[in-house]
């Protein structure tokens, strides 16, 4: 298997063309100082890489996987089927149906294979990063404090009055 630098949170996607969407998952993770890395792992074009990644992630120290995919969007579900780790899915906007096809492909998981699906596109990717931090904060008091401060700052940025 090619060398993947595993981190606490792994952000994987089916194609490099998904990166403009998926890089938004890195924003809250960076702000909250959560170790993360990314890789291209395609369910269709590199199936063995996907199997190797999903099979090794937990033993390599990964605790949460964020998987983005467009079109038929099999990557999050396949990784969830192969790994015991929580998988947060991001439907990537596609040319066909502007990502509705991706959303429907991801959200209709069979009973017994759980995937936490976010919104289509950049907002969904950002929220996936935030959700990964929230999951990790359950066992990391310092991260929980950083997250609480981050949320307070988020609220403070919303003006009370409308001009």
């Amino acid at each position: 298997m090619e060398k993947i630098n595993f981190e606490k949170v792994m952000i994987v996607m089916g194609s490099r063309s998904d990166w403009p969407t998926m890089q938004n998952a890195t924003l809250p993770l960076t702000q909250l100082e959560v170790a993360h890395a990314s890789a291209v792992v395609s369910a269709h074009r590199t199936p063995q890489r996907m199997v190797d990644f999903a099979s090794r992630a937990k033993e390599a120290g990964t605790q949460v996987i964020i998987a983005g995919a467009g079109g038929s969007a099999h990557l999050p579900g396949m990784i969830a089927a192969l790994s015991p780790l929580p998988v947060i899915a991001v439907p990537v906007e596609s040319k066909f149906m502007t990502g509705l096809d991706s959303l429907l492909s991801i959200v209709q998981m069979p009973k017994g294979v759980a995937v936490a699906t976010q919104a289509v596109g950049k907002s969904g990717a950002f929220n996936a990063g935030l959700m990964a931090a929230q999951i990790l904060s359950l066992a990391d008091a310092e991260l929980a404090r950083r997250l609480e401060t981050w949320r307070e700052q988020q609220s403070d940025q919303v003006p009370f009055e409308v001009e």
Side-chain angles (χ1 to χ4, degrees):
M1 179 177 147
E2 297 99 320
K3 177 79 169 115
I4 293 180
N5 294 319
F6 287 91
E7 289 290 350
K8 221 175 238 193
V9 176
M10 287 302 299
I11 302 166
V12 294
M13 64 217 78
S15 170
R16 279 185 182 264
S17 64
D18 297 337
W19 183 241
T21 296
M22 297 307 295
Q23 70 182 349
N24 289 277
T26 69
L27 300 175
L29 294 170
T30 299
Q31 291 169 5
L32 293 164
E33 301 173 32
V34 175
H36 59 278
S38 61
V40 175
V41 179
S42 172
H44 300 112
R45 290 179 296 278
T46 62
Q48 190 59 53
R49 183 188 303 170
M50 180 202 60
V51 169
D52 292 345
F53 166 81
S55 300
R56 290 188 49 222
K58 184 177 180 184
E59 74 181 39
T62 297
Q63 294 179 355
V64 180
I65 298 170
I66 298 171
S72 61
H74 291 115
L75 184 62
M78 290 302 299
I79 289 175
L82 293 164
S83 174
L85 297 173
V87 176
I88 304 169
V90 178
V92 174
E93 196 170 320
S94 60
K95 293 176 186 169
F96 182 72
M97 299 176 69
T98 60
L100 181 59
D101 55 333
S102 308
L103 173 63
L104 294 174
S105 293
I106 292 172
V107 80
Q108 277 305 120
M109 292 302 301
K111 179 180 177 182
V113 182
V115 173
T117 306
Q118 300 297 310
V120 174
K122 293 178 179 182
S123 292
F126 185 94
N127 284 342
L130 183 57
M131 180 170 274
Q134 290 172 311
I135 291 168
L136 294 173
S137 76
L138 295 171
D140 182 336
E142 183 54 42
L143 176 56
R145 283 191 284 281
R146 290 194 305 270
L147 185 58
E148 186 176 324
T149 299
W150 183 90
R151 289 176 66 101
E152 288 170 1
Q153 291 171 344
Q154 179 106 343
S155 294
D156 291 344
Q157 294 174 7
V158 178
F160 184 74
E161 295 180 4
V162 178
E163 294 182 40

